[in-house]
Amino acid sequence: RKLGKFELADKGTLFLDEVGDMSPDMQKKLLRVLQEGEIRPVGATRSFQVNARVVAATNAELRERIKAGRFLEDLYYRMNDIAITVPPLRDRREDIPALTEHFLGYYARQMDKPVPQLAPAVTKALLNHEWRGNVRELEKTVKRIVVLAEPDTVAGTDLLPEEMRAPIETLPIEQSGGYNVR
């Protein structure tokens, strides 16, 4: 028998990503589990208790989805014990260098490659990009850099996605600086 997510998370934490995109049927099932604290696996004849902390994330405006009838208001209030709003990456550019360093090191280790050093022009491009995909977009961009970098220095913006290679004029290069990760 295969254990479900709530069974696996019993006495622990279950992370649900993009809850705003859940189907109405799944929302009803989740609401029932959160209200009653019990589940009934597919094919089972009885329900049993689970005790899992649920952490949920979404990019969707859930109140707007409630108004549009696409998200259950009861589920919203059941899940909304503690809300943490994280601004988009474009509104917290000061986090870009630390996140970039983390992803450079992570993917370099994963690929058994040296950690690339980024030239100031690359750093400037990263700081100036709009990051519509937030941290996930930055992560994929840095992964691309690590995959394509040879041997371990990224001197120009040629390894960046096309939309990031345009001339950069919004930040002086002195503000963006370069950084090395070792």
Side-chain angles (χ1 to χ4, degrees):
R1 165 171 115 74
K2 185 175 178 182
L3 298 179
K5 301 296 184 198
F6 272 95
E7 288 178 275
L8 292 169
D10 193 29
K11 299 189 181 36
T13 302
L14 176 64
F15 176 68
L16 302 174
D17 199 9
E18 295 303 340
V19 294
D21 295 334
M22 269 187 200
S23 70
D25 285 342
M26 187 59 71
Q27 290 178 41
K28 290 175 190 172
K29 290 175 184 179
L30 178 59
L31 177 60
R32 188 172 55 247
V33 171
L34 294 177
Q35 285 176 335
E36 299 168 11
E38 62 182 36
I39 60 169
R40 179 179 291 184
V42 175
T45 57
R46 65 176 185 83
S47 298
F48 61 92
Q49 292 293 126
V50 289
N51 182 10
R53 178 184 316 113
V54 176
V55 176
T58 186
N59 284 319
E61 290 292 334
L62 293 180
R63 289 189 180 126
E64 295 300 317
R65 291 189 183 225
I66 290 168
K67 288 178 190 173
R70 296 187 350 234
F71 198 81
L72 294 174
E73 188 171 22
D74 286 351
L75 179 57
Y76 173 79
Y77 288 112
R78 178 62 66 178
M79 291 190 320
N80 197 23
D81 290 340
I82 300 171
I84 300 171
T85 302
V86 179
L89 188 56
R90 66 185 162 275
D91 292 343
R92 51 189 176 94
R93 294 183 188 280
E94 67 277 5
D95 291 348
I96 293 171
L99 287 166
T100 300
E101 288 179 21
H102 168 74
F103 293 133
L104 282 169
Y106 175 81
Y107 285 111
R109 281 187 305 278
Q110 205 176 48
M111 297 175 205
D112 197 28
K113 293 180 77 169
V115 178
Q117 296 179 12
L118 303 185
V122 177
T123 302
K124 188 173 182 181
L126 294 174
L127 288 168
N128 282 314
H129 187 62
E130 281 300 307
W131 302 113
R132 296 274 175 222
N134 279 308
V135 176
R136 288 181 182 135
E137 182 185 4
L138 175 64
E139 179 180 7
K140 296 304 176 191
T141 300
V142 173
K143 182 178 181 180
R144 173 191 173 113
I145 289 170
V146 174
V147 167
L148 298 175
E150 291 209 11
D152 64 351
T153 300
V154 180
T157 59
D158 55 320
L159 299 183
L160 296 173
E162 185 68 34
E163 67 272 10
M164 293 179 68
R165 295 183 202 163
I168 298 165
E169 299 177 7
T170 56
L171 278 181
I173 202 158
E174 300 80 44
Q175 283 185 339
S176 64
Y179 49 87
N180 299 330
V181 181
R182 289 284 175 209

